[in-house]
Amino acid sequence: MAQWTSAVGATQLARLISSQQPVPAAGGARRPPAYRALADGIRLLVLEGRVPVAARLPAERELAAALSVSRTTVAAAYEALRGEGFLESRRGAGSWTSVPAGNPLPARGLEPLPPESLGSLIDLGCAALPAPEPWLTRAVQGALEELPPYAHTHGDYPAGLPALRRMLAERYTARGIPTMPEQIMVTTGAMGAMDAICHLFAGRGERIAVESPSYANILQLMRAAGARLVPVAMTDGLGGWDLPVWRQVLRDAAPRLAYVVADFHNPTGALADEEQRRALVEAARSAGTVLVVDETMIELHLEDDLEMPRPVCSFDPAGSSVITVGSASKAFWAGMRIGWVRAAPDVIRSLVAARAYADLGTPVLEQLAVNWLMRTGGWEQAVELRRAQARDNRDALVAAVRRELPDWEFEVPRGGLTLWARAGGLSGSRLAEVGERVGVRVPSGPRFGVDGAFEGYVRLPFTVGGPVADEAAARLATAGRMLDTAAPGTAEALRTFVA
């Protein structure tokens, strides 16, 4: 029986290899042989998770044709990968990717490190802050006091606790979007909400338009659901959404869904203005596309003088074209796995009905805790604390990066949890790989793109501050210097033969 569980085609692999940005070469350094460059490129794709483990690679002749190189070059590269433990082969079954014994399996998303793995490693992979105490403890205590009546029931509420649904509806109404509880479904985090929406609206093979770049975990969720992603490029800096391009893509590709993060976009930090929001809704309605708006960052505005634009769903109050996703995870704490969907009542009914074949419902105790926070005013005080933490961390990280990495380019967002930085001509993938060796974990740009885009970028979250931010920037600078001096020329050699 074959040991591979998926396959990557020759054209796709060639495209991924060609996306790898050159590593700066030291003066007078010799380029590595072409086979070595190819082996290094494939190894990096596996370590990044952009080519899955146990993925069948194309036959030597096929890949040689796609790269316009000799079959001998590909054969030598495959042999080098086998010797390093990154490739296994068997006659009649082909060759498939692997990782050497003792190496952790790479992930295509952005999973936080387990607490026992932190130690001396600074984790800039996950954009999440510690809980805003004492509000977590108070919320759980309040929830426990309100739990007894629910303990006498079956505890299964597929649409969410009625009290929390009413609370969320009231909060939307207070923001100027009249909402009934029937328009709300409580989910297990925003990821649970997006999973339910994708399975209802975008079956295998359906198109979904996504910002490029976009949130890595959502992109991976959509890929796993079998969706065909249609990237729509963001403008440079914090400009955000290019409306003529969006109109053209929605008109020409006719995607079933479009996914946007209009409030402090992840990863760029861009904030859509009201005209962009109105135009996005109009373009989606005209194309017959359902616009899914991720509001998980909406409360994390970090400037006192910033006037927030109206929510996207205010331009579609009935919910016929816009589905809104919210969450407690970013504004409060990632361990509070409570999310919600706001949509038309018939959409909510369909989502709830489909949930019977998924997770059935969301934990009651956590719903009670969020409801307690929102009912008592604790939510606002906790979010204000979260804003202060994120603001201080942002300012410390920006100062540290500007000092240690002066050639990196970025614009400072006015909210959210992430900084999107062009890494001074370095490969984001190689920087991430070397960074872990020197004690800093950072996600590379291609995790946030489709088919290898954004190789020259990294995402830096506002999760560390003070001396830790200084040390993180210093370690990234060390990783950059190591790239400047170690085995230069690999990517340049690849580029000499990738079409």
Side-chain angles (χ1 to χ4, degrees):
M1 174 186 265
Q3 301 298 306
W4 49 272
T5 57
S6 62
V8 56
T11 301
Q12 179 188 7
L13 185 56
R15 186 169 62 248
L16 289 171
I17 292 170
S18 69
S19 73
Q20 294 175 327
Q21 188 166 325
V23 178
R30 296 171 57 188
R31 287 180 176 175
Y35 85 87
R36 184 66 261 173
L38 177 56
D40 287 347
I42 294 174
R43 177 180 56 81
L44 188 60
L45 291 172
V46 173
L47 289 172
E48 270 282 291
R50 292 159 64 196
V51 169
V53 175
R56 186 179 186 272
L57 295 187
E60 295 169 1
R61 192 185 305 277
E62 295 173 357
L63 184 57
L67 293 171
S68 299
V69 299
S70 71
R71 182 177 176 181
T72 301
T73 297
V74 177
Y78 279 13
E79 183 59 34
L81 290 168
R82 277 189 287 269
E84 296 165 1
F86 286 94
L87 196 68
E88 297 182 23
S89 304
R90 193 171 68 209
R91 186 177 298 277
S95 299
W96 56 93
T97 56
S98 61
V99 293
N103 280 38
L105 288 176
R108 300 190 71 180
L110 301 177
E111 293 76 16
L113 287 173
E116 64 272 14
S117 300
L118 290 176
S120 61
L121 182 63
I122 300 175
D123 185 10
L124 297 182
C126 184
L129 289 162
E133 289 287 29
W135 296 108
L136 174 62
T137 298
R138 292 180 182 177
V140 173
Q141 290 171 341
L144 286 171
E145 292 174 1
E146 298 174 6
L147 182 61
Y150 295 94
H152 294 292
T153 73
H154 49 62
D156 184 5
Y157 297 89
L161 291 184
L164 182 54
R165 296 178 75 196
R166 286 194 300 271
M167 178 61 66
L168 292 167
E170 290 171 5
R171 291 176 69 85
Y172 276 106
T173 300
R175 292 165 62 193
I177 311 106
T179 303
M180 304 178 294
E182 292 79 9
Q183 291 178 262
I184 301 292
M185 181 178 83
V186 181
T187 62
T188 308
M191 292 291 287
M194 285 303 306
D195 184 63
I197 292 166
C198 287
H199 280 89
L200 180 63
F201 285 95
R204 187 163 294 276
E206 291 277 6
R207 295 185 180 91
I208 301 179
V210 295
E211 297 147 328
S212 183
S214 187
Y215 178 35
N217 285 344
I218 293 294
L219 294 180
Q220 183 56 18
L221 182 152
M222 293 173 177
R223 292 187 188 102
R228 298 162 60 191
L229 303 185
V230 182
V232 186
M234 300 282 283
T235 61
D236 289 337
L238 299 178
W241 295 261
D242 188 330
L243 274 307
V245 173
W246 270 98
R247 292 188 188 98
Q248 180 179 349
V249 169
L250 295 182
R251 181 180 63 247
D252 296 347
R256 187 72 181 90
L257 291 177
Y259 170 77
V260 299
V261 186
D263 299 284
F264 310 119
H265 175 262
N266 188 352
T268 68
L271 175 66
D273 60 32
E274 289 205 1
E275 183 52 39
Q276 289 173 320
R277 294 164 189 248
R278 180 184 292 107
L280 281 170
V281 174
E282 291 173 354
R285 184 182 294 122
S286 177
T289 297
V290 176
L291 184 63
V292 182
V293 180
D294 185 332
E295 280 192 344
T296 53
M297 296 282 189
I298 194 168
E299 300 205 57
L300 293 176
H301 44 89
L302 306 183
E303 306 290 349
D304 293 336
D305 62 344
L306 177 60
E307 183 176 349
M308 289 293 292
R310 286 181 289 169
V312 177
C313 59
S314 67
F315 301 101
D316 179 49
S320 59
S321 298
V322 176
I323 296 176
T324 302
V325 172
S327 172
S329 297
K330 297 298 185 184
F332 186 74
W333 184 47
M336 187 68 76
R337 304 304 305 159
I338 298 295
W340 52 85
V341 178
R342 182 199 179 274
D346 61 319
V347 172
I348 295 297
R349 286 193 293 270
S350 297
L351 289 169
V352 171
R355 196 172 193 180
Y357 307 101
D359 65 353
L360 295 177
T362 301
V364 169
L365 187 63
E366 293 184 27
Q367 293 187 71
L368 288 171
V370 171
N371 188 60
W372 183 91
L373 285 165
M374 292 180 172
R375 189 185 73 248
T376 63
W379 178 268
E380 283 71 25
Q381 295 184 63
V383 169
E384 189 57 42
L385 178 59
R386 170 66 77 238
R387 291 189 191 116
Q389 291 174 316
R391 184 186 305 115
D392 290 347
N393 287 354
R394 179 198 63 181
D395 295 346
L397 185 66
V398 165
V401 172
R402 282 177 171 163
R403 181 179 61 253
E404 299 287 345
L405 298 152
D407 56 339
W408 284 28
E409 302 171 39
F410 55 85
E411 291 190 33
V412 181
R414 305 190 71 187
L417 287 173
T418 57
L419 186 72
W420 185 239
R422 191 192 300 269
L426 297 175
S427 160
S429 299
R430 297 177 188 277
L431 189 69
E433 180 190 9
V434 176
E436 293 217 21
R437 295 188 220 156
V438 299
V440 60
R441 179 178 184 248
V442 60
S444 66
R447 291 180 179 269
F448 303 88
V450 177
D451 286 339
F454 308 109
E455 180 60 52
Y457 290 81
V458 295
R459 190 194 74 172
L460 305 175
F462 310 145
T463 53
V464 297
V468 180
D470 294 338
E471 181 62 23
R475 293 183 186 185
L476 285 172
T478 298
R481 288 192 294 271
M482 291 172 65
L483 282 178
D484 281 339
T485 58
T490 296
E492 293 94 319
L494 280 170
R495 294 243 176 173
T496 63
F497 59 76
V498 172

